[in-house]
Amino acid sequence: MATSSSRASALALLLCALSASSFHVAISGPPAPSPGKDDFLSCLTKTVPPRLLFAKSSPAYGSVWSSTIRNLKFLSDKTVKPLYIITPTEPCHIQATVSCGRKHGMRLRVRSGGHDYEGLSYRSDKAEPFAVVDLSKMRQVRIDGKQATAWVDSGAQLGEIYYAVAKETPKLGFPAGVCATIGVGGHFSGGGFGMMLRKYGTAADLVIDAKVVDAEGRLLDRKAMGEDLFWAIRGGGGASFGIVVSWQVKLVPVPPTVTVFQIHKGVKDGAVDLVAKWQQVAPSLPEDLMIRILAMGQDALFEALFLGTCKDLVPLMNARFPELGMNQTHCNEMSWIQSVPYIPLGKTGTVKDLLNRTSNIRAFGKYKSDYVRDPIPRSVWEKIFTWLVKPGAGVMIMDPYGGKISSIADDATPFPHRQGMLFNIQYVNYWFGEGSGAQPNQWSRDMYAFMEPYVTKNPRQAYVNYRDMDLGVNQVVGDVSTYESGKVWGEKYFKGNFERLARTKAKVDPQDYFRNEQSIPPLLK
Ligand SMILES: Cc1cc2nc3c(=O)[nH]c(=O)nc-3n(C[C@H](O)[C@H](O)[C@H](O)COP(=O)(O)OP(=O)(O)OC[C@H]3O[C@@H](n4cnc5c(N)ncnc54)[C@H](O)[C@@H]3O)c2cc1C
Ligand SMILES: *[C@@H]1O[C@H](CO)[C@@H](O)[C@H](O)[C@H]1NC(C)=O
Ligand SMILES: *[C@@H]1O[C@H](CO)[C@@H](O)[C@H](O)[C@H]1NC(C)=O
């Protein structure tokens, strides 16, 4: 049986590995003929330098395609890959790609950090010709310390923003996901949250301007795109409305010292009671304190970030959650920027790691999510811990809400999981390849079925950044995704906001050029 700390480092590696070793993928044979593809390429080469274009026959195609794949199951031969990859360095390259794509019938997928759980940024479920616009060469972060704002390109990874902000001034930070390699483009598009969500909400809540290439190939800022489109790109999920080139965000104040603690509790040490108590305590704590849980096997890790010192945290914990037994020996005081690598990687994580773009996630994964509005009975938590030791069992990650994220109106952005929400659950099912014992996908699906009575209903809400195609996929009729098919999965991610997203899609891309298995369909009537 693994110890708590080796389990914790296995988790870190699984969820957020930051390390060398890139994948090598055999390049497949010549591309299958498809209509218009040569025209597409000759159109493109009028604007885009050839060194930024990769056809399937290019020697570098395999390494460029696999460079940011974070889920090994999509490296399989069965994956439908793009005919071309374009790695733009200028907005005009993106504009040309969209214009040529529309003219010559080549659909596009766009990839920023490649973390999509279903791989929709670089692969298709259907045998269809498409090209990938890979933004990994567009990743500038420009900070305006005086205004406390920044312009960040979509191809930047979250760690690059955190690093640049802290380098400008230790007084500012930015609230987004816990994993440094996540791409800005997909993350902001779906909301994006991490350890400061209770203080500052989602990353998308802090976006104040953006530059988007629309389905006509135009480059639009907030004023030019209008408020419907600007609303839609801040949480409506990537890939439906255009290609977001860069985002202007507000930065947030952080104190000189923050405190992190990580307390493991086994089922033998009362984990069931503690988790049952946590679900009522954690969402109503002061906004400066976030305590999330990673539950795995018979262990619950209570992981906290407090925007303040140990001296202030200990009495707060004693008053609000004495059962956890937290005291000053658990405190790790540091600067906010040091806490960013510390949380996923522990003591070995350094600030420089935030810039490291290589990842060696060795797992195959299937992810699902839920939201909880009413506390789950203690007797059910007891059963949940028996689910966590079944064959093939994965991890449950629970992020408490309340505070800022819950104080924003449900329709202020497309991200609707706000008022009265206690916490988010992510089920992480992983395995290490064919024949590795566990049956791929099965645990998370069984677990999800078991949880149904205890989570949100009508709709059963889910987080679009934890993309899950089990929730449904679009049907295409007359070359346009249907509203009815989209509604099935769309209301789970967006509740009542789905309709406004579909009406916005009808205004900006009525022909459904930007589409994938779970893109917003246009509501044309
Ligand atoms: C290891 C790991 C840890 C994670 N941790 C967290 C976390 O702490 N908090 C959290 O909220 N989420 C987390 N996620 C989920 C993550 O936020 C989403 O997967 C997010 O969409 C990834 O963005 P990306 O740019 O890396 O992905 P991509 O795969 O590049 O893109 C995701 C989707 O957005 C589209 N897209 C990408 N770029 C653009 C663009 N510029 N314009 C328009 N559409 C675009 C893509 O086509 C695709 O549909 C995690 C995921 C992984 C794999
Ligand atoms: C990235 O991380 C790996 C392992 O963690 C390390 O070997 C490599 O040197 C790092 N790269 C940089 C540029 O720091
Ligand atoms: C702090 O808590 C740990 C148990 O988690 C305990 O072993 C230790 O004695 C406590 N220390 C103090 C100073 O209370």
Side-chain angles (χ1 to χ4, degrees):
M1 182 120 194
T3 64
S4 289
S5 61
S6 74
R7 231 185 265 128
S9 52
L11 255 181
L13 211 74
L14 176 74
L15 302 174
C16 252
L18 281 156
S19 126
S21 121
S22 49
F23 312 119
H24 295 284
V25 174
I27 298 160
S28 37
S34 72
K37 78 178 176 57
D38 294 331
D39 296 340
F40 171 69
L41 205 57
S42 48
C43 175
L44 218 50
T45 48
K46 290 189 190 121
T47 312
V48 183
R51 68 187 160 83
L52 305 178
L53 301 175
F54 302 87
K56 271 194 169 169
S57 54
S58 320
Y61 172 94
S63 62
V64 174
W65 180 72
S66 61
S67 58
T68 55
I69 292 180
R70 306 304 187 195
N71 194 336
L72 297 201
K73 71 184 183 190
F74 300 127
L75 287 173
S76 133
D77 290 342
K78 284 175 239 152
T79 297
V80 179
K81 302 186 182 81
L83 292 179
Y84 302 103
I85 304 168
I86 298 99
T87 58
T89 56
E90 308 283 341
C92 68
H93 300 156
I94 303 174
Q95 293 178 266
T97 307
V98 171
S99 302
C100 295
R102 295 223 49 187
K103 210 177 288 166
H104 300 292
M106 181 67 67
R107 287 189 183 276
L108 301 179
R109 303 228 165 187
V110 53
R111 176 165 75 179
S112 289
H115 284 54
D116 193 280
Y117 285 156
E118 299 282 8
L120 297 189
S121 52
Y122 54 86
R123 66 161 204 117
S124 171
D125 246 13
K126 287 185 302 203
E128 60 178 357
F130 67 99
V132 164
V133 177
D134 181 314
L135 297 175
S136 57
K137 290 188 175 133
M138 295 181 71
R139 49 175 219 259
Q140 265 197 46
V141 179
R142 281 142 295 168
I143 312 277
D144 183 337
K146 269 209 200 97
Q147 302 291 323
T149 60
W151 273 102
V152 295
D153 289 348
S154 281
Q157 67 179 28
L158 297 182
E160 290 168 324
I161 308 183
Y162 300 144
Y163 187 93
V165 173
K167 199 169 159 221
E168 171 78 20
T169 164
K171 295 190 170 135
L172 294 173
F174 189 70
V178 294
C179 212
T181 51
I182 297 171
V184 163
H187 192 66
F188 289 16
S189 291
F193 56 74
M195 296 303 283
M196 293 203 289
L197 67 87
R198 305 192 66 255
K199 178 80 174 180
Y200 295 117
T202 70
D205 296 335
L206 290 146
V207 172
I208 50 177
D209 201 344
K211 298 206 173 107
V212 180
V213 174
D214 75 357
E216 306 300 324
R218 292 174 300 201
L219 181 65
L220 309 172
D221 66 4
R222 176 174 183 170
K223 209 164 150 221
M225 78 180 84
E227 287 300 300
D228 275 337
L229 180 52
F230 184 64
W231 174 83
I233 59 170
R234 287 172 299 146
S240 297
F241 303 99
I243 299 178
V244 185
V245 180
S246 55
W247 312 73
Q248 190 185 26
V249 295
K250 270 193 290 195
L251 304 174
V252 301
V254 292
T257 303
V258 306
T259 307
V260 177
F261 71 73
Q262 289 164 328
I263 299 178
H264 288 272
K265 291 287 182 180
V267 168
K268 288 198 308 287
D269 325 313
V272 173
D273 286 319
L274 289 168
V275 177
K277 180 82 198 278
W278 166 89
Q279 60 185 336
Q280 286 171 300
V281 172
S284 58
L285 288 168
E287 295 178 356
D288 285 336
L289 178 55
M290 158 107 178
I291 309 176
R292 68 170 188 166
I293 294 178
L294 290 83
M296 186 183 193
Q298 293 295 281
D299 185 72
L301 168 61
F302 293 80
E303 180 168 66
L305 174 68
F306 178 59
L307 300 173
T309 59
C310 182
K311 197 170 122 287
D312 292 336
L313 176 58
V314 172
L316 178 62
M317 288 299 292
N318 284 338
R320 302 293 289 272
F321 199 8
E323 298 84 348
L324 191 60
M326 187 267 171
N327 63 42
Q328 71 269 21
T329 63
H330 299 112
C331 286
N332 297 286
E333 287 189 331
M334 57 190 82
S335 64
W336 170 76
I337 192 64
Q338 288 170 321
S339 78
V340 177
Y342 188 95
I343 285 165
L345 301 173
K347 288 188 176 61
T348 59
T350 69
V351 173
K352 276 270 187 289
D353 286 334
L354 298 173
L355 302 177
N356 197 332
R357 293 173 68 92
T358 27
S359 153
N360 70 343
I361 296 178
R362 297 221 176 76
F364 296 57
K366 172 68 196 166
Y367 309 78
K368 302 178 80 67
S369 66
D370 262 322
Y371 276 96
V372 177
R373 212 178 254 292
D374 302 306
I376 296 174
R378 186 193 182 282
S379 57
V380 176
W381 285 111
E382 232 161 53
K383 290 194 189 129
I384 290 171
F385 276 100
T386 69
W387 275 94
L388 290 170
V389 289
K390 287 186 194 252
V395 185
M396 275 171 80
I397 302 176
M398 293 172 277
D399 283 317
Y401 278 24
K404 181 70 177 179
I405 199 168
S406 295
S407 73
I408 294 170
D410 283 0
D411 60 1
T413 73
F415 179 95
H417 318 289
R418 307 264 194 188
Q419 293 176 16
M421 205 55 86
L422 292 181
F423 59 100
N424 170 271
I425 305 176
Q426 182 179 191
Y427 310 95
V428 182
N429 192 175
Y430 60 93
W431 60 98
F432 296 97
E434 313 256 326
S436 69
Q439 222 199 328
N441 305 333
Q442 201 54 49
W443 177 80
S444 58
R445 288 176 181 155
D446 293 344
M447 182 81 215
Y448 190 75
F450 169 77
M451 290 298 287
E452 191 195 311
Y454 314 112
V455 298
T456 49
K457 299 175 185 48
N458 306 312
R460 184 172 181 177
Q461 291 170 233
Y463 174 35
V464 67
N465 265 347
Y466 298 161
R467 192 187 303 285
D468 176 9
M469 296 217 292
D470 294 351
L471 302 179
V473 294
N474 289 339
Q475 275 169 3
V476 176
V477 174
D479 217 26
V480 174
S481 311
T482 69
Y483 180 73
E484 287 65 34
S485 65
K487 208 171 145 164
V488 175
W489 55 264
E491 291 194 335
K492 295 185 161 80
Y493 291 146
F494 306 113
K495 289 173 68 183
N497 295 331
F498 179 68
E499 186 181 324
R500 182 172 172 197
L501 287 169
R503 290 194 188 283
T504 304
K505 171 77 172 179
K507 281 210 286 188
V508 302
D509 183 18
Q511 292 170 351
D512 202 23
Y513 174 63
F514 289 114
R515 75 159 179 245
N516 63 39
E517 293 77 353
Q518 278 191 350
S519 55
I520 305 289
L523 180 56
L524 295 161
K525 312 178 286 283

